[in-house]
Amino acid sequence: MSTTASVYLDYNATTPLDPDVLTAITDTLRDAWGNPSSSYTQGKKAKVIINESRQNMASMIGAKPSDIIFTSGGTEGNNWILDTAVKCFHDDQNAENHRKQLPHFITSNLEHDSVKLVLEHMVSAGIAECTVVAASKLSGRVEVEDVLRAVRPNTIMVTVMLANNETGVIQPVSKICSRVRSLKRHPGETPKILLHTDAAQAIGKVKVDVSDIPVDYLTIVGHKFYAPRVGAIYVRDLDKGTPLYPLLFGGGQERNFRPGTENAGMIAGLGKAAELVVRNLDAFEKHLKEVRDYLEEELVREFGDMIHINGKFKTSERLPNTCNFSFKGQGLEGHKVLNKAEHVQASVGAACHSQNRASPILLAIGIPEDIARNALRFSVGRETSKNDIDIAVRDLKKCHDELSKESN
C-alpha cells in the first residue's frame, strides 16, 4: 500500500479481489456468458468453468468435487446446514421418541451470527433445543470435555467455528469431532450426531483439510480469501448418503440441492481464489504471521503497559493475521480511536456488531468489560507490509495522545 493512502487492516471483515480472480470473473462474463445448462458454445464453456472451480474448491480442502455445493455465501451455507439437521432429525425413523422430542444442537458462545441467531430463532420458535458451551477463559477455546458433557439422547448436531473472527483463536474442532464420533449411541437416541464447522476465517490463512478435520459439513466464504461474495458448503460423502435437504426448489442445478441458474462468473472467481490458496498457502501464512507479529511487537514497543492484547493465550493457536488489542484507560474506546484515525481502516470487531458496546466474544473469553470496550481488531492481508504497520502505529499514537488529553 502507498504511504500516502489509507492502511487497510480489516481483512477478516472482507478482502479485495485478487487480480487473477478479477481476471477470471471478467473473462467468464465475457466469454462464457451462456446458461450452463445449455448445449451451445457459451453455455458449455460456463459448465466447464464451473466444474473446474468445483475441483479447485475440493483440492483446497482435501475433498472430492462431488462434495462441494456452491452457495451465495456463508450465511446461506450455515442456515442451510442447520436446517438440514432439523429435517434429518425428524426423518429418522429408527428413534422411537423423536416425534415427542425436539432436535438438540450444541454450539459455542463464540459463533458468528449466521449460526448464533439461527439457533436462537429455532429455540424461540419451538423448533429445536440448544446448549451453548462457554469457551474457556484460560484458553479462548471451546474445550472438548465441555462439549461431550452437553451431549443428550436427542443431540443431532455439534457446530463449532474453526477459528474466531475477532480473536483469531483456532478452535479444537478436529478433537471435538473425533471424540463425538467415538460416542456410542443407544436405542432411542439419534443414531449419529452430525458435525459442522464454519471455516470462513481459516480458509486461505491456515491449512484446512477435511481428512484431518472429520466434520460432516464445512462452510466456505469467498470474500474472506480474495474471492467474490459467494461461497460453498462441503458435505462429506454427499453421494453416499450424508443428508442435505434443499432450501430451494427449481430447475435442478447443483444436482437438485441448490437449483437456480449458476452464477458462473462469481464461481469462476471463487475457483481461481481456491487455486491460489492451493499453490501459495505456505507463503501466505508465513507473510501474514510475520507482519502480524511485527504489529504486536511495535504496539508493545510504542505503548508498553498501556496496551492489552486480547485473546493471546499461551495454550492456544491463533490465525496468523489477527491481532485484537485495547488501549487501557478512560475515553479510549475502539470506535473513538478509529474515528480520529487519519490512515487506519480497521474495526472494533465483527463488522455486523455495534461499535458502541463491548464485544460479547471478548467478554466470553474473560476480557474485562472496560478493556473489551476499548478493543480494536487489526487483521493484516497478503499485501500488508511492515511499512504499513509503521504508518498505522504512528496514526494510533496520535489518536491515543489526543484522546488521552481530551479525557483528562
Side-chain angles (χ1 to χ4, degrees):
M1 287 185 176
S2 167
T3 57
T4 59
S6 60
V7 178
Y8 183 73
L9 294 172
D10 206 17
Y11 289 88
N12 281 8
T14 200
T15 55
L17 293 178
D18 184 278
D20 287 347
V21 169
L22 183 58
T23 298
I25 293 170
T26 55
D27 286 352
T28 300
L29 294 176
R30 184 189 64 233
D31 301 329
W33 47 264
N35 190 314
S37 299
S38 301
S39 59
Y40 43 78
T41 301
Q42 290 84 359
K44 288 181 178 179
K45 285 183 179 180
K47 192 68 172 179
V48 168
I49 289 169
I50 289 169
N51 289 339
E52 289 175 350
S53 295
R54 198 185 311 276
Q55 177 64 65
N56 287 338
M57 295 292 288
S59 297
M60 181 175 67
I61 62 168
K64 299 179 296 186
S66 58
D67 291 341
I68 301 293
I69 301 291
F70 294 112
T71 68
S72 64
T75 294
E76 178 191 340
N78 286 338
N79 275 258
W80 188 1
I81 290 164
L82 298 174
D83 181 75
T84 282
V86 171
K87 291 173 179 174
C88 177
F89 179 89
H90 291 299
D91 267 3
D92 175 37
Q93 300 301 312
N94 298 318
E96 297 176 359
N97 295 324
H98 276 192
R99 294 179 183 177
K100 302 177 183 178
Q101 294 179 311
L102 294 176
H104 173 244
F105 290 83
I106 299 172
T107 191
S108 80
N109 62 347
L110 304 176
E111 301 304 308
H112 187 269
D113 279 352
S114 59
V115 169
K116 175 179 179 285
L117 296 184
V118 177
L119 293 174
E120 287 180 358
H121 164 72
M122 288 180 173
V123 170
S124 65
I127 296 169
E129 299 171 347
C130 182
T131 298
V132 179
V133 175
S136 168
K137 295 181 179 179
L138 300 176
S139 67
R141 297 189 313 246
V142 179
E143 300 300 342
V144 178
E145 295 300 327
D146 291 336
V147 173
L148 295 177
R149 279 192 287 270
V151 172
R152 300 177 186 173
N154 57 327
T155 299
I156 189 62
M157 176 172 277
V158 175
T159 174
V160 175
M161 61 171 32
L162 197 52
N164 185 262
N165 55 306
E166 294 191 38
T167 65
V169 174
I170 297 172
Q171 302 300 310
V173 173
S174 182
K175 291 181 180 179
I176 289 171
C177 291
S178 297
R179 292 290 300 279
V180 171
R181 284 202 187 281
S182 70
L183 294 175
K184 184 178 179 180
R185 306 303 283 163
H186 301 285
E189 299 182 337
T190 52
K192 179 183 180 181
I193 298 174
L194 302 170
L195 301 164
H196 167 241
T197 191
D198 179 348
Q201 289 296 338
I203 296 285
K205 300 168 189 169
V206 295
K207 181 182 178 183
V208 177
D209 191 323
V210 293
S211 62
D212 300 324
I213 307 170
V215 289
D216 297 296
Y217 307 94
L218 182 144
T219 305
I220 301 169
V221 181
H223 73 101
K224 305 297 187 182
F225 65 103
Y226 296 79
R229 289 186 175 94
V230 291
I233 59 171
Y234 158 80
V235 184
R236 186 180 297 274
D237 294 329
L238 178 57
D239 54 354
K240 295 182 181 178
T242 299
L244 185 65
Y245 293 76
L247 284 176
L248 307 171
F249 298 88
Q253 293 86 352
E254 293 294 283
R255 290 165 286 161
N256 278 316
F257 290 113
R258 202 218 184 239
T261 304
E262 300 93 336
N263 191 348
M266 298 304 105
I267 289 172
L270 190 66
K272 176 58 69 171
E275 180 186 330
L276 295 174
V277 170
V278 171
R279 291 207 313 254
N280 303 305
L281 179 60
D282 289 346
F284 291 160
E285 185 174 0
K286 180 181 178 182
H287 173 77
L288 294 173
K289 187 176 188 305
E290 181 178 305
V291 176
R292 191 276 311 276
D293 289 352
Y294 179 73
L295 165 64
E296 293 185 349
E297 290 166 4
E298 288 301 294
L299 287 173
V300 172
R301 183 190 62 78
E302 182 65 57
F303 298 103
D305 59 6
M306 293 186 295
I307 203 89
H308 184 275
I309 297 179
N310 306 313
K312 188 175 182 180
F313 298 92
K314 292 181 179 179
T315 56
S316 301
E317 294 183 33
R318 290 181 297 160
L319 293 173
N321 79 317
T322 305
C323 172
N324 193 305
F325 65 96
S326 301
F327 290 120
K328 298 177 184 177
Q330 296 293 322
L332 295 169
E333 291 89 346
H335 69 277
K336 291 182 179 179
V337 175
L338 293 178
N339 286 340
K340 277 197 172 289
E342 295 181 10
H343 301 289
V344 172
Q345 293 185 4
S347 67
V348 298
C352 46
H353 287 169
S354 168
Q355 295 188 344
N356 297 317
R357 64 185 175 92
S359 161
I361 300 298
L362 296 183
L363 297 177
I365 63 170
I367 305 299
E369 185 166 358
D370 60 331
I371 298 293
R373 194 176 297 280
N374 290 5
L376 292 162
R377 181 190 67 184
F378 281 11
S379 46
V380 306
R382 298 173 189 172
E383 303 301 321
T384 309
S385 68
K386 290 183 178 179
N387 185 57
D388 291 327
I389 298 305
D390 291 339
I391 296 169
V393 172
R394 287 198 297 269
D395 202 10
L396 286 177
K397 175 64 173 172
K398 179 174 176 289
C399 297
H400 176 273
D401 290 350
E402 289 180 1
L403 288 170
S404 295
K405 289 179 182 178
E406 291 174 7
S407 63
N408 289 334

